[in-house]
Amino acid sequence: MSSLIGGGRGLGIGVLAGLLAGMLAGGIGGRLAMRVIAVVAGPSSTGVLTDNGNAVGDITTGGTLVLVVFSSVLNGVVGGLVYGAARPSLAPLGRARPLVFGLLILLVLGFTTIVAENRDFIRFGSPILNVALFAAIFVAFGALIVPLAEWLDRAVPRTDALRSGPAGIGLAVLVALSLLAGLLILALFIVTTAQTLAGVAAPGTGFGLTTSFVLLGLLGCAVLARLGSAFPWSRLPLAVPMLAGSWLTLRSIASILGLG
């Protein structure tokens, strides 16, 4: 029972740190990346509609909010659960952990943002620069989530939150809610994937089946790996969706750069 509580605490800390890191790196960093791309693309591209229907150079509150929510909820939660599961394995890396995890999460989740079918990577500015800017977002995510998770690990009480004062209680509640959010998103992916397989999902909604399976595998295996951390083999299944995500990311980057 104590291992389950400890595993749930570790996952909750990972998700909360991932939400915060995703909001900063993906939301703010993503908007900055788009601004740089618009500048490099030049005045002739100003006002041209992107594949998402947004005008180049037009920074709107709604667009920024969507970007922040997408980065926080999707990449933040998935990346947070992966970090929560992989954190014990990354501990021996010491100060290299932020960079290593940033590069790892770029490989595993990069395909959700660096999408070969999105023609904007080729239409505006330099494809190499565009890929590099969005790749840097994931590296920044890794640089942020590691110290955030370490701070939360020290601040969130391990046993009785009631004895740690209002701050400890508040953080413990936030961690518990974050874990619940991660599990709800896992359940949502299960339902959506099942509906897609059954042919009852609305056309054009959600991700493709391959993407859904990779994200579903990452979420499910990360939860199982952390809750079953007492078993040496518990993290092995996580390698399967991680390898699949890495293949999708590398294939997407190669397609954009004309390498494959």
Side-chain angles (χ1 to χ4, degrees):
M1 186 65 179
S2 59
S3 62
L4 286 177
I5 294 174
R9 177 181 177 276
L11 285 174
I13 285 174
V15 174
L16 181 55
L19 284 169
L20 295 173
M23 186 182 302
L24 293 171
I28 299 174
R31 182 55 77 188
L32 288 173
M34 291 178 182
R35 186 60 184 163
V36 171
I37 291 171
V39 171
V40 173
S44 60
S45 296
T46 302
V48 177
L49 294 181
T50 66
D51 273 9
N52 294 326
N54 300 315
V56 175
D58 187 12
I59 299 178
T60 64
T61 303
T64 301
L65 186 60
V66 168
L67 186 62
V68 169
V69 170
F70 176 84
S71 300
S72 302
V73 173
L74 179 61
N75 289 335
V77 170
V78 178
L81 280 173
V82 171
Y83 182 72
R87 186 173 167 227
S89 301
L90 294 170
L93 298 176
R95 294 183 179 180
R97 283 176 300 164
L99 177 60
V100 171
F101 185 73
L103 293 172
L104 177 66
I105 213 66
L106 165 61
L107 276 174
V108 175
L109 287 178
F111 71 94
T112 63
T113 302
I114 305 172
V115 183
E117 290 75 17
N118 188 338
R119 297 174 301 161
D120 296 340
F121 280 96
I122 300 174
R123 290 170 63 202
F124 305 109
S126 164
I128 295 177
L129 176 63
N130 297 343
V131 169
L133 286 170
F134 280 94
I137 292 172
F138 290 92
V139 179
F141 176 82
L144 289 168
I145 192 174
V146 173
L148 282 170
E150 293 305 310
W151 175 78
L152 285 169
D153 188 45
R154 293 190 299 269
V156 176
R158 293 180 178 274
T159 51
D160 190 356
L162 295 177
R163 296 180 181 177
S164 60
I169 294 173
L171 284 173
V173 170
L174 274 177
V175 166
L177 291 175
S178 299
L179 175 59
L180 179 61
L183 294 177
L184 286 175
I185 290 176
L186 171 60
L188 180 63
F189 265 102
I190 292 174
V191 172
T192 302
T193 304
Q195 288 178 335
T196 304
L197 287 172
V200 299
T205 59
F207 295 94
L209 267 180
T210 302
T211 303
S212 294
F213 273 125
V214 171
L215 294 176
L216 181 59
L218 284 169
L219 286 164
C221 290
V223 171
L224 292 175
R226 196 66 178 89
L227 295 183
S229 56
F231 301 97
W233 46 263
S234 61
R235 295 185 187 88
L236 290 179
L238 187 58
V240 176
M242 289 178 75
L243 288 173
S246 299
W247 178 75
L248 289 174
T249 298
L250 292 174
R251 187 185 67 170
S252 186
I253 292 174
S255 178
I256 292 171
L257 299 182
L259 302 175

